[in-house]
Amino acid sequence: MNQYFKEYFDVKTLLICLALVGMGLLSIYSATFDINNAANFHRQAVWAGIGFLGMIVVMLLPIRTLQRLAFVIYGVVLFVLLVVLVVGSTIKGTKSWFGVGGLGGQPSEFAKVATVLAAAAYLSRTEVSITRLKDLIVTLVIFGVPMVLILAQPDLGTTIVFFAALMPVLFWAGASNFILIAILVPILVAFGALFGTAAFLIAAAIGAGTLYYFRENRFAVAVAFGIALAVGLSAQLVYERLPAYQQKRIATFLNPEADPLGAGYNVVQSKIAIGSGGLTGKGYLHGTQTQLNYIPEQWTDFIFCVPGEEFGFVGAAFVLGLFAALIFHGISIAGLSKNRFGSIGAIGITAVLATHVAVNVGMAMGLMPVIGIPLPFLSYGGSALVANFLMAGLLMNFYANRKEH
Amino acid sequence: MGPVIDSGEFGSRRRQGVLRLVTLIVFSVLFVRLYQLQLISHSEFGRKSEENSVRTIVTEPVRGYMYDRTGKLIVDVGPSFAITATPASFDSAAARELATLLDLDPAVVIDRVNKGRQYSRFSPVRIKRDVDFQTLSAVEENLYALPGVGYDVESKRLYDYPIRAAHLLGYCKEITDAQLAKGGDAYRPGDLVGATGLEASYETFLRGEKGFEYIAVNSRGQQIGPLEHGQRDVPSQSGFDLVLSLDAGLQAYAESLMTDYRGALVAMDPNTGGVLAMVSKPDFDPSIFSGVTPANDWNRLNTDEAKPLFNRATMTRYPPGSTFKMLVAAAALEEGIVDEQYRITCTGGFRFGRRLFKDLHVHGSVNVVQAIEKSCNVFFYQLVLKVGLDKLNEYGRRFGFGKTTGFDIAEETAGLLPSAAYYDRVYGKNKWTLGNVVSLGVGQGEIGVSPLQMARYAAALANGGTLLHPHAVERIYDRRTGRSSDVDPRPVSLGLKPETIRILREGMREVVQEPGGTGGLARIPGIESAGKTGTAENPHGADHAWYIGFAPFDNPRIAIAVLLENSGFGGAKAAPIAGKLMQRYLMGEAKPDSTRAYAAASENLLH
C-alpha cells in the first residue's frame, strides 16, 4: 500500500500547496480582519475547500480524458472570454469579471490552464512537430487568441503571464534558438517603440544582430526582422490611437515612479512593510503597515508583504522556499513524464506559476514594475485560488501518470 | 497516446538543465533582494514604518503645588484649555475663520502653525492658550470647518489663598525660542516655564515630566487607537511639590501692613533661616500671569515707575543706616578694641579733618549698650576709626554682607560692602580718606544691603551668633512616591564670643524695651523683644526707614527686617509694622496697642 501510494501520489505538491494556502489564509486574515470582519478570510477559506475538491478530481481523472477534453475546455474558455468582453462588469477599468447568479469569476485565470492544456494536447499529437512552421504557427495561435482577448479587457499582467508561459513551452517542445529569438525580438522592438524613436532604433539594431547571430537561413532572418519592425511601428501607431486613460495605464506600467501616489506609492509602502519586518518580523497581527492599511488592497496583489512584515525574513524566505521547491518539482515531473502531454503540460503549468511568483514577489520588493497579477495560493481571489488548485491537481495527475506512454 | 518522446531536443536533459538554471537565477535574485530589504536595510525601513504609522501625543504633566509651613495649599493648579492645530492636517484656508473665533490676527495663526511644523508635522501646536469656555464651545461647534484643529487641556496656576507673595513665588511665562533650544526634549513650543521667583529656580522640580501616548494612524492619517494597547505609552509625571517655610497667615497680614508703602519686609525663623514672610511693595497679582498675560497688563507692570515687578526684598541695595551699628560694635568688642565699660562723651557732633559728622542729639556719656539703645552716632564715628576698614570689612563679610545669601530665588543682589581695594578702584590709590570710613560707622555712605541680608543679620543676633542660610523651600515632596527631601539649612557660626553677643543683644533689647530706646513702637505687649532702627540717607529724596528686630528676647522665634522707602525715620513707621507682625506670629493675632505705651515710645522716635 505504502509503495503504491508513493508511486502514484504526489505528496510533495500536495504539502507545498497546502502550506502555501495556509500561509495565504493567515495573511488574508491579518490584512482584513479589522476591515471587514474577516469576511475575505471566510470566503477565501470556502474557495480553498472548493479548490481542494477540484484538485482531487483533476488528479484522479484519467490523463487521456484530460487530453481529449483539452480543446473542449479551451473552446469554452475562449467563448467565456468573448462574452466577458461584451457584457462583463468593469472592475477598476478592466472588464474581466463574469457574474453568474451572484458568483463572480475571472475567466482569464482559467484561460491560463486551458491554454496550456490545449497547447500540450496539440503538441503531443504524433504528426505534430514544433520544428515545422505550420505547427509552430498553430501553437502561437493557441496562445495568441486568449492573449488578444485578455489584452482587450485590458489585462496587461495576465497577457504577460501567457507570453512568459509560451516561451518555456516552445523551448521544452524543442523549438530552435532562432525561433525563440524571432518571437522575442518583436516584443523587444515594440517595447522600444513605446519609449521613443531612439529606443526603437536601438532595440531594432540589437534585434537584428541577435537574429543574425542565431540565423538558420538569411530569408528567415529577413522575415523575422520584418515582422519585428512591423510590430514595433504598429505598436507606436496603436499607442497613439488609444484613449488617454489607456495611454496613462501603459505609461505607468513603463515607468511606475512617474505616478508616486498610484502604483509607485504601493511599492514604496510594500518595501517599507517587508523591510521593517527584519529577521523575525513584528509578530502575527502586529505589522503596522499591514494593520493600518498602508498598502491598498494588500490582500490581493501585495499579500507577500504580510508574511514579510509580520514573520520577517524567516517567514518570507519560507514562502519563497516553498515556491522554489514547487517550481523545481514541476520541472522534474516534466522531465520524468514519458508522455508529451503530461510533460509539456507540467512545464506550461510550472511556467505559469513561476511567472506569477517572480513578477508578484519582484513587484512587492520593488524589482519589477507594478503588474497586477496575484501570488499563487496566497492572494485573495476565488478564481485564482481554484485555478491554482486545478494546476496543482494537474501536476499531481502528470506525476501519477508519468510512466504512461 | 503519442509516440515515445523523440530523440530531438524535446524535453532534453540539456533543456531541463537550462530551465533549472533560469529558475535558480530568478529565485536567487529574489532571495538576495529579500535579504537586502529585511536584514541590511532593516533599520531604515523600520524607521520609515514607525514614522508612517505612529503619532506621538504629548501629555502634559501637572505642575507641582506649593504649600506653606502649616500645609495650606497656596499655589494650586487648575485646568486651562488651549486651542491647537495639527500642522499636517491644518488647512491654511481655515486660518481666517479660526483667527476670528480666537480673536487673533490670521497671520499669527499661520505663523504659529508654521513654527510647530518645523518641530513636528503631526504634533498639535497651541494657537491660543487659556481660552474661556465660550471660545472653546465656539471652536468646537465649528470643528467641521476647521480641519486639524483641536484643544489641549493644560494646567494653569491658581492662587486661592488670599496672599500674593508674587516676588517670592514668581510666575511662569511661555517658553522663549532660546530656552527651547537649550531645554532639549523637556519642552516644546508653547510650554510654560518658570520665569521668576521659586517658579523659575525650582523649574526642574516643579515641571514634572511629559508623558507620551503612541497612537496608531492609518494610511489616511486617521487615528486608529492606542499603539500596542498603550503598552509603550509613558504616562506624564506630576512635578514635585514644594513645602515652603512661609506662613501664609503671617504673609497675608504682612502684605496688609505694607499696603500703603513702597518697601519690603522679610520675616525669618532665627533658628532655621526659613523665611516666614516676604513682602515687596508695590506688588502685583500673580494670577495675571497664570494663563495668557494680556499685553497691556504686561506693559503696565513693566513701565510703572513704582516698579512693581522689582523684588525689593532681595534686590534693593540701600545703606543699612544705624542698624549697622551692632556690626561695628561686634568688630570692636571681638578685637578687644573696646569693652563694655568703654565710654565716650557725645557732644552732638564729630569733627574729622575738615568735616563735621553730625548726630541728632547730644547723648552725653554713653557706653556701647547705650550707644546702640539711643543710636548715638558720635560713638560709632569714633569706634569705626578704631576698628579700621579692613576689620570692618572682615566682620561685614562674616555677617554675610557684600555677597548673595544663596536664597532660593535667583533675583538677589550681593549688595555692597566696601574694602580698601574697592575704594582704590573707585577713587584711585591714596585718593580716598578715612572720612569715607567714618560714615560706614553709622551705616551710611558707600554700602548697600538688601532686606533679606538684614533679616539674616537680625536672625544671627537673635540666635546667639549663628549665620543661617535663608531659604523659602523647606521640603521637596514627591507626590508619587510620598518621599520628600528636606532642605539643609547649613548654619555657620560667626565665631563671636558669648559676651559680645550678650552686649549687642542687650543694646537691642533696650532699643525697644527701655524708655530711652528708639524702637519703642515695635513693642509687643507681654513679650520682650529687641531691635534696631535705621535711616538710610537718600540723596534723591526722603530717607529710607529701616527696622530690624527679633522676639521673644530670651528665646527668639522670629527675626525681621522692614524697609520703607522714602519714609523718614526707622522708628516711626517701620518699627510698629515689625512689632505688629511679630506679635501676630507669636500670639496668633495683633492685640491693639495701649495708647499710653505708644505715646511714651513716641518721644524717642527721632533716632
Side-chain angles (χ1 to χ4, degrees):
Chain A
M1 173 66 195
N2 196 22
Q3 198 62 33
Y4 181 86
F5 191 76
K6 264 193 182 163
E7 181 70 21
Y8 293 105
F9 191 70
D10 184 2
V11 186
K12 206 168 176 181
T13 300
L14 179 76
L15 290 182
I16 289 172
C17 294
L18 290 183
L20 288 170
V21 169
M23 203 61 160
L25 286 172
L26 277 178
S27 302
I28 289 165
Y29 181 80
S30 179
T32 63
F33 76 99
D34 62 331
I35 296 175
N36 56 21
N37 245 333
N40 285 14
F41 168 78
H42 291 129
R43 261 182 251 140
Q44 183 83 345
V46 170
W47 284 116
I50 293 168
F52 186 79
L53 291 177
M55 177 182 75
I56 301 295
V57 171
V58 168
M59 182 190 80
L60 294 175
L61 280 177
I63 191 165
R64 279 159 200 264
T65 314
L66 281 174
Q67 197 171 348
R68 269 193 224 110
L69 283 174
F71 283 108
V72 179
I73 299 167
Y74 180 72
V76 170
V77 165
L78 285 188
F79 177 72
V80 172
L81 282 177
L82 210 57
V83 172
V84 160
L85 264 189
V86 181
V87 300
S89 54
T90 300
I91 294 202
K92 284 188 285 173
T94 301
K95 279 185 173 180
S96 66
W97 277 74
F98 188 58
V100 184
L103 279 176
Q106 261 183 304
S108 59
E109 295 296 336
F110 299 101
K112 295 170 205 164
V113 192
T115 305
V116 165
L117 281 184
Y122 178 73
L123 288 170
S124 60
R125 285 185 185 168
T126 324
E127 70 282 9
V128 169
S129 171
I130 195 73
T131 52
R132 275 206 295 269
L133 188 60
K134 184 205 123 204
D135 296 337
L136 174 67
I137 287 171
V138 171
T139 311
L140 292 180
V141 168
I142 290 174
F143 270 89
V145 173
M147 276 172 79
V148 169
L149 291 175
I150 290 167
L151 191 60
Q153 289 179 354
D155 180 354
L156 197 57
T158 307
T159 315
I160 287 169
V161 173
F162 270 87
F163 186 76
L166 168 68
M167 296 308 289
V169 165
L170 294 179
F171 180 69
W172 191 247
S176 65
N177 290 336
F178 177 78
I179 294 296
L180 296 171
I181 298 297
I183 291 168
L184 277 175
V185 166
I187 306 296
L188 177 76
V189 174
F191 216 76
L194 294 179
F195 281 98
T197 312
F200 169 69
L201 292 176
I202 292 168
I206 292 171
T210 319
L211 282 171
Y212 186 74
Y213 181 81
F214 286 102
R215 69 188 177 280
E216 282 168 356
N217 61 64
R218 297 216 171 136
F219 177 69
V221 170
V223 170
F225 187 64
I227 292 171
L229 285 181
V231 169
L233 289 171
S234 57
Q236 185 79 42
L237 288 174
V238 168
Y239 180 78
E240 279 163 9
R241 277 148 208 263
L242 284 176
Y245 76 94
Q246 281 184 340
Q247 285 186 350
K248 183 165 183 280
R249 198 178 265 266
I250 291 169
T252 306
F253 171 75
L254 296 176
N255 183 16
E257 306 298 319
D259 185 17
L261 286 174
Y265 167 86
N266 291 11
V267 175
V268 167
Q269 295 300 337
S270 156
K271 274 158 71 180
I272 291 174
I274 294 170
S276 63
L279 179 62
T280 54
K282 297 176 184 168
Y284 186 52
L285 304 182
H286 283 92
T288 48
Q289 294 283 110
T290 300
Q291 301 309 323
L292 303 170
N293 313 319
Y294 274 87
I295 305 149
E297 304 214 20
Q298 187 185 8
W299 51 93
T300 59
D301 293 346
F302 282 90
I303 195 75
F304 186 68
C305 302
V306 182
E309 185 183 23
E310 301 198 339
F311 301 124
F313 184 75
V314 173
F318 175 66
V319 171
L320 269 189
L322 287 174
F323 279 121
L326 185 63
I327 305 306
F328 281 118
H329 183 55
I331 295 171
S332 295
I333 293 174
L336 289 170
S337 276
K338 297 232 175 346
N339 63 83
R340 284 190 174 202
F341 177 67
S343 188
I344 295 175
I347 279 298
I349 286 165
T350 305
V352 168
L353 290 173
T355 306
H356 273 262
V357 173
V359 172
N360 182 286
V361 175
M363 166 189 80
M365 296 196 296
L367 287 176
M368 286 274 194
V370 175
I371 302 167
I373 62 172
L375 186 60
F377 298 105
L378 275 87
S379 285
Y380 173 76
S383 317
L385 185 60
V386 171
N388 290 329
F389 265 118
L390 294 182
M391 286 193 275
L394 286 170
L395 279 182
M396 292 166 82
N397 186 311
F398 299 148
Y399 177 84
N401 296 303
R402 67 192 179 282
K403 289 181 180 166
E404 296 256 336
H405 286 286
Chain B
M1 289 197 57
V4 182
I5 289 170
D6 57 32
S7 56
E9 279 291 304
F10 184 99
S12 70
R13 200 163 279 280
R14 192 183 70 81
R15 295 213 163 186
Q16 199 184 127
V18 169
L19 291 181
R20 283 180 186 277
L21 185 65
V22 169
T23 308
L24 186 69
I25 290 168
V26 167
F27 275 90
S28 297
V29 168
L30 295 178
F31 270 106
V32 166
R33 177 64 168 174
L34 193 65
Y35 181 86
Q36 184 199 359
L37 286 179
Q38 297 197 296
L39 298 175
I40 295 175
S41 311
H42 170 230
S43 55
E44 182 200 334
F45 286 113
R47 184 177 50 73
K48 283 185 177 168
S49 129
E50 292 232 330
E51 284 172 0
N52 242 354
S53 55
V54 180
R55 299 280 176 274
T56 310
I57 306 286
V58 177
T59 53
E60 295 294 335
V62 177
R63 201 170 172 83
Y65 302 117
M66 293 190 212
Y67 298 93
D68 88 333
R69 64 193 291 120
T70 62
K72 289 189 190 83
L73 182 58
I74 52 175
V75 180
D76 194 1
V77 161
S80 147
F81 298 98
I83 302 300
T84 65
T86 306
S89 39
F90 185 71
D91 179 2
S92 49
R96 182 168 295 278
E97 172 159 15
L98 183 62
T100 311
L101 288 169
L102 297 181
D103 193 22
L104 288 174
D105 187 338
V108 171
V109 173
I110 288 170
D111 181 56
R112 289 217 152 200
V113 172
N114 287 340
K115 254 189 187 165
R117 193 190 306 275
Q118 291 161 14
Y119 177 78
S120 166
R121 282 192 338 117
F122 298 107
S123 293
V125 58
R126 283 164 282 207
I127 303 295
K128 188 174 187 183
R129 296 187 29 258
D130 197 31
V131 298
D132 57 28
F133 199 72
Q134 280 92 332
T135 308
L136 179 66
S137 320
V139 170
E140 284 232 289
E141 281 166 23
N142 290 287
L143 275 186
Y144 65 91
L146 301 167
V149 173
Y151 68 87
D152 256 4
V153 184
E154 309 182 292
S155 58
K156 68 168 179 177
R157 283 305 196 195
L158 294 181
Y159 303 91
D160 291 334
Y161 200 85
I163 61 168
R164 287 186 158 180
H167 301 91
L168 174 63
L169 302 176
Y171 55 85
C172 296
K173 278 176 80 173
E174 202 167 304
I175 192 165
T176 64
D177 290 346
Q179 286 172 312
L180 203 55
K182 230 171 35 181
D185 293 340
Y187 299 105
R188 61 185 183 123
D191 277 355
L192 288 176
V193 290
T196 65
L198 295 175
E199 295 279 17
S201 55
Y202 285 86
E203 167 67 19
T204 51
F205 294 95
L206 289 167
R207 73 176 178 219
E209 282 169 38
K210 289 185 192 307
F212 298 96
E213 283 175 11
Y214 297 101
I215 307 288
V217 183
N218 71 8
S219 50
R220 272 164 294 167
Q222 295 165 325
Q223 299 190 351
I224 300 300
L227 186 77
E228 292 169 25
H229 307 287
Q231 283 169 8
R232 278 168 60 188
D233 290 1
V234 180
S236 66
Q237 300 192 339
S238 301
F240 296 137
D241 298 335
L242 302 182
V243 179
L244 309 185
S245 56
L246 208 69
D247 182 309
L250 193 70
Q251 174 75 20
Y253 186 59
E255 287 177 11
S256 74
L257 290 174
M258 295 287 287
T259 304
D260 299 330
Y261 299 100
R262 274 189 202 178
L265 176 156
V266 177
M268 192 181 283
D269 183 333
N271 303 303
T272 65
V275 167
L276 299 168
M278 179 177 272
V279 180
S280 173
K281 287 281 180 183
D283 58 2
F284 55 93
D285 180 356
S287 64
I288 68 167
F289 289 104
S290 61
V292 174
T293 311
N296 40 351
D297 279 2
W298 172 250
N299 289 337
R300 188 172 47 71
L301 284 173
N302 233 348
T303 55
D304 190 336
E305 59 80 34
K307 295 195 168 143
L309 293 171
F310 183 69
N311 188 351
R312 289 170 162 78
T314 56
M315 295 185 80
T316 50
R317 219 169 71 158
Y318 292 133
S322 298
T323 57
F324 202 58
K325 286 172 178 166
M326 282 80 77
L327 193 142
V328 179
L333 291 165
E334 280 295 300
E335 296 297 317
I337 294 163
V338 298
D339 60 14
E340 198 179 358
Q341 273 69 49
Y342 172 83
R343 286 186 164 284
I344 62 128
T345 302
C346 169
T347 56
F350 174 64
R351 184 169 295 280
F352 185 77
R354 273 178 292 170
R355 231 180 116 185
L356 177 70
F357 292 89
K358 281 187 238 166
D359 204 338
L360 291 165
H361 289 267
V362 178
H363 295 102
S365 172
V366 289
N367 65 9
V368 63
V369 171
Q370 290 161 331
I372 292 172
E373 177 201 343
K374 300 181 197 310
S375 207
C376 173
N377 285 354
V378 173
F379 185 92
F380 286 96
Y381 289 143
Q382 296 179 11
L383 194 62
V384 76
L385 287 173
K386 291 179 193 289
V387 170
L389 181 59
D390 292 345
K391 281 292 167 197
L392 185 73
N393 183 274
E394 180 195 324
Y395 279 83
R397 291 214 147 256
R398 271 210 232 175
F399 276 97
F401 294 107
K403 57 191 173 190
T404 54
T405 65
F407 188 57
D408 304 50
I409 64 176
E411 300 88 17
E412 195 190 352
T413 178
L416 169 63
L417 182 69
S419 60
Y422 169 81
Y423 285 121
D424 284 347
R425 200 166 62 242
V426 174
Y427 297 100
K429 225 166 173 54
N430 302 322
K431 298 231 171 102
W432 53 281
T433 65
L434 283 176
N436 296 70
V437 181
V438 172
S439 298
L440 293 179
V442 294
Q444 306 292 358
E446 287 136 322
I447 178 167
V449 300
S450 73
L452 179 66
Q453 285 174 328
M454 291 305 273
R456 175 162 71 159
Y457 170 57
L461 293 166
N463 66 27
T466 303
L467 194 69
L468 299 162
H469 170 64
H471 58 271
V473 175
E474 299 256 278
R475 264 185 310 134
I476 297 169
Y477 178 69
D478 183 347
R479 226 178 299 158
R480 274 174 295 127
T481 62
R483 287 222 302 265
S484 62
S485 47
D486 291 358
V487 171
D488 180 8
R490 284 179 287 154
V492 180
S493 171
L494 293 171
L496 302 183
K497 289 178 224 145
E499 181 62 10
T500 304
I501 293 288
R502 188 193 62 74
I503 294 167
L504 301 177
R505 282 169 52 93
E506 177 55 24
M508 289 176 77
R509 190 192 68 79
E510 292 185 9
V511 166
V512 182
Q513 301 299 134
E514 294 301 315
T518 55
L521 290 181
R523 258 177 234 169
I524 307 166
I527 295 176
E528 222 177 9
S529 80
K532 184 72 192 80
T533 57
T535 304
E537 288 170 4
N538 176 10
H540 310 294
D543 293 345
H544 305 310
W546 280 105
Y547 183 83
I548 65 168
F550 57 86
F553 181 71
D554 289 325
N555 181 24
R557 288 169 49 210
I558 181 168
I560 194 166
V562 177
L563 166 73
L564 301 180
E565 287 181 4
N566 315 114
S567 194
F569 295 100
K573 284 171 180 166
I577 287 174
K580 283 180 192 165
L581 195 74
M582 291 193 288
Q583 180 179 355
R584 155 81 191 228
Y585 184 68
L586 297 172
M587 303 172 86
E589 56 177 297
K591 289 187 179 165
D593 304 309
S594 91
T595 321
R596 191 187 300 171
Y598 193 86
S602 299
E603 287 174 23
N604 303 308
L605 264 182
L606 300 177
H607 295 271

